[in-house]
Amino acid sequence: MKTKSAMQTFTLYSINYPFHRVISTKRPLIFLLFIIFLFEYPLNSIAQGKKVKTYSQKEFIYIKGPDLFCPDGKKFFIMGTNLGNWLNPEGYMFKFTKTNSAHFINEMFNQMVGPDFMAQFWKSFKDNYITREDIRFIKSTGANTIRLPFSYKLFTDEDYMGLTSQQDGFTRIDKLVGWCKEFGLHLILDMHDAPGGQTGDNIDDSYGYPWLFESVQSQLLFCNIWQRIAQHYKNEPTILGYELLNEPIPHYLTNKEELNGKLESIYKMGTAAIRKEDKNHIILLGGAQWNSNFKPFKDSTFDSKLIYTCHRYGGEPTKAAIQEFINFRDSVNLPMYMGEIGHNTDAWMSAFCNVMKENNIGYTFWPYKLMGEQCFVGIKEPADWNMVTTFSESQRDTYENIRNNRPQQTIARKAMNDFIEACKLKNCNIQNGYINALQMK
């Protein structure tokens, strides 16, 4: 079991416990001395009794104008994929439609097979959906970067993917970092699901509105988690950077302009939290309205290591389609990166890769793996999976409907176990046309 640093212990304690109750105790001096002791003697050092290697800033990917550079001075152009669905499940990747966010999926699985089997399924899912072999394979395609979407819940004690305490965010990401380091890939950490929700739709697993922009408590948790992540990975050059939010503020909200006006301040808060611990890593900022609108940004100088990140699905694969992204990039003289793109024909993707290369916009295609096609590797649908999808789409608004529509346990549980086998790389369909279209070799 890993221990928290003193800073982590104090920060978590101060956020989650009313501070006025602490200072009003009868022994404030004892408490103060205890806090001083924690700051002076980090718990990690006491528990582990070993030194952590410290890297100089020269060993990290760095920014110069609109370009990225490797530590050896060679230009670095991002090319790769997203590990979508692994640590932030999305319904369509399981062939669900109405059951389309992580907590909807979790609730449906609980109703179908019970909480104990469901918890076992999620552990097996996380163990097998992405493995060392997947990372080795991604490297073989010519990719140099992986973007990892994750939920903030992986760093809390909220109910998430079969765990309600001692969440395994650092354990899972530490393994991934080790695999990326082994095969020479860089990693972008993308908070896909933020406290309160930054989008208010299925993609951020929230409750229909981006409460992050109106909740001080959610903002404190957002900053706290990023500070803890930064403290944990500040000396890890395999990580290219931290993407603070994915696709904030949808276009259909009537108050989107009001929320757009708050976005940059949220980014500044998150950046300040990271910089308390980590001066090494790049910070990535996505535009409003699904990472497409950069007009809300008025200050590109509040940090010296910023990248802006755009997304695009559909439309024409031409320079004109991304001219606004190019114009903004040129106006701030900082790199622009296409964090998500895909779900199109091989010809379309190949043409768009040419456009992005010609205009110095690196890219990570979405996604690496799902049930179906238009990905690096496709998961074959297990036998009887249709019974799972049917239940996911059925009426489950009353307990009677849940009971009446629930499939036979033996069939449902076997289908879920078969999915675990099917998602292993050795059992997937490699989409060579898709991979070749990305022009990474």
Side-chain angles (χ1 to χ4, degrees), residues 177-245:
V177 168
W179 297 332
C180 287
K181 185 186 293 290
E182 178 182 357
F183 294 111
L185 288 159
H186 284 280
L187 182 64
I188 293 170
L189 301 184
D190 152 46
M191 187 179 282
H192 223 70
D193 315 323
Q198 76 279 6
T199 306
D201 215 311
N202 68 297
I203 62 169
D204 68 352
D205 191 32
S206 63
Y207 299 96
Y209 186 80
W211 301 108
L212 173 68
F213 295 93
E214 299 183 4
S215 168
V216 173
Q217 186 174 353
S218 289
Q219 291 167 13
L220 286 172
L221 182 57
F222 165 74
C223 291
N224 176 267
I225 291 171
W226 272 121
Q227 185 174 344
R228 290 166 56 204
I229 291 172
Q231 195 280 332
H232 191 83
Y233 292 115
K234 61 185 176 184
N235 292 315
E236 182 47 72
T238 296
I239 292 177
L240 188 152
Y242 309 126
E243 186 172 341
L244 299 189
L245 294 172

Side-chain angles (χ1 to χ4, degrees), residues 411-424:
I411 297 176
R413 294 184 179 193
K414 184 177 185 304
M416 292 179 72
N417 285 332
D418 288 347
F419 178 90
I420 298 300
E421 283 300 310
C423 79
K424 295 176 180 178

Side-chain angles (χ1 to χ4, degrees), residues 1 42 46 67 84 96 115 169 207 271 350 355 374 380 416 432:
M1 178 178 176
I46 296 171
D67 298 313
F96 306 151
Y207 299 96
T271 301
S350 180
V355 169
Q374 295 187 333
K380 302 171 188 176
M416 292 179 72
N432 288 311

Side-chain angles (χ1 to χ4, degrees), residues 196-337:
Q198 76 279 6
T199 306
D201 215 311
N202 68 297
I203 62 169
D204 68 352
D205 191 32
S206 63
Y207 299 96
Y209 186 80
W211 301 108
L212 173 68
F213 295 93
E214 299 183 4
S215 168
V216 173
Q217 186 174 353
S218 289
Q219 291 167 13
L220 286 172
L221 182 57
F222 165 74
C223 291
N224 176 267
I225 291 171
W226 272 121
Q227 185 174 344
R228 290 166 56 204
I229 291 172
Q231 195 280 332
H232 191 83
Y233 292 115
K234 61 185 176 184
N235 292 315
E236 182 47 72
T238 296
I239 292 177
L240 188 152
Y242 309 126
E243 186 172 341
L244 299 189
L245 294 172
N246 173 71
E247 296 188 347
I249 312 167
H251 66 281
Y252 47 72
L253 292 178
T254 57
N255 65 334
K256 68 178 181 182
E257 294 303 328
E258 175 190 353
L259 297 176
N260 285 353
K262 299 178 180 181
L263 180 58
E264 193 166 62
S265 64
I266 295 291
Y267 281 154
K268 288 182 177 181
M269 290 169 54
T271 301
I274 287 170
R275 292 302 183 224
K276 290 177 182 178
E277 303 288 346
D278 183 349
K279 305 295 192 297
N280 294 321
H281 284 101
I282 290 166
I283 292 174
L284 296 90
L285 309 178
Q289 285 74 68
W290 318 105
N291 279 36
S292 69
N293 178 9
F294 295 87
K295 293 178 182 177
F297 299 135
K298 309 301 180 185
D299 180 10
S300 63
T301 63
F302 68 87
D303 191 83
S304 62
K305 297 177 181 178
L306 298 179
I307 290 178
Y308 290 92
T309 172
C310 56
H311 292 177
R312 184 170 183 80
Y313 291 96
E316 294 298 316
T318 62
K319 180 181 178 182
I322 56 172
Q323 189 62 56
E324 289 188 8
F325 301 158
I326 296 169
N327 292 344
F328 177 79
R329 185 268 312 277
D330 293 345
S331 72
V332 296
N333 195 36
L334 291 169
M336 178 66 76
Y337 148 67

Side-chain angles (χ1 to χ4, degrees), residues 18-32:
F19 195 72
H20 71 275
R21 291 179 63 183
V22 174
I23 62 175
S24 65
T25 62
K26 296 180 180 179
R27 292 180 289 274
L29 181 58
I30 294 174
F31 176 78
L32 180 60

